Amino acid sequence: NSVMRTQRFHSFLCRKVQQSCGSLHLCCRDLQINKMSALRRILQFLDLGCIDHLEVNQAYLSEVITLLAQMIHLNSLSLSNVPFKTYRRRNFRSFLIWLRRLDNLQELSLSFFCLTDQLHKLLR
């Protein structure tokens, strides 16, 4: 069962990082997150500043913002199934602020985002 193997591998990695007392550095260039809640534990051990390509499916916008705040070299960002209630709230504004700070960002893919009357804010 691949799910069991993945969970065992994640547990093994977490144990090794904890045992290393900070001397082990986990770096990842391409990260795909299918459910944020399932990966929260492993994310605390990754150096998110190393990530070049990020794909997130099924996460809240506030969780995406938390990730973006730690990513300085991101070249590609793909978001799908990221719900949020209104574009006038703080989370959407924070999302736009973090997008502007991603100087290396060359590719942005948004799926299942409804940006009616707000696209100009995103592209500005």
Side-chain angles (χ1 to χ4, degrees), residues 60-70 91-92 94-95 98:
Y60 291 107
L61 192 59
S62 60
E63 294 172 318
V64 172
I65 292 167
T66 301
L67 290 175
L68 293 180
Q70 301 174 63
N91 278 344
F92 186 69
S94 294
F95 174 68
W98 284 110

Side-chain angles (χ1 to χ4, degrees), residues 2 27 35 61 67 74 79 91 98 104 107 120:
S2 69
C27 188
K35 283 190 181 178
L61 192 59
L67 290 175
L74 200 61
L79 302 175
N91 278 344
W98 284 110
N104 296 330
E107 182 180 339
H120 67 283

Side-chain angles (χ1 to χ4, degrees), residues 54-94:
L54 175 65
E55 183 178 328
V56 178
N57 182 28
Q58 294 187 9
Y60 291 107
L61 192 59
S62 60
E63 294 172 318
V64 172
I65 292 167
T66 301
L67 290 175
L68 293 180
Q70 301 174 63
M71 298 182 177
I72 54 175
H73 299 292
L74 200 61
N75 293 321
S76 173
L77 175 61
S78 177
L79 302 175
S80 59
N81 295 315
V82 178
F84 53 100
K85 294 178 174 69
T86 178
Y87 306 103
R88 290 178 177 79
R89 292 234 171 130
R90 186 176 9 164
N91 278 344
F92 186 69
R93 280 187 240 131
S94 294

Side-chain angles (χ1 to χ4, degrees), residues 87 92 96 108 110 113-124:
Y87 306 103
F92 186 69
L96 294 178
L108 176 63
L110 304 174
F113 265 66
C114 181
L115 295 171
T116 304
D117 298 328
Q118 300 298 318
L119 189 57
H120 67 283
K121 290 181 182 177
L122 184 63
L123 297 177
R124 186 168 29 159

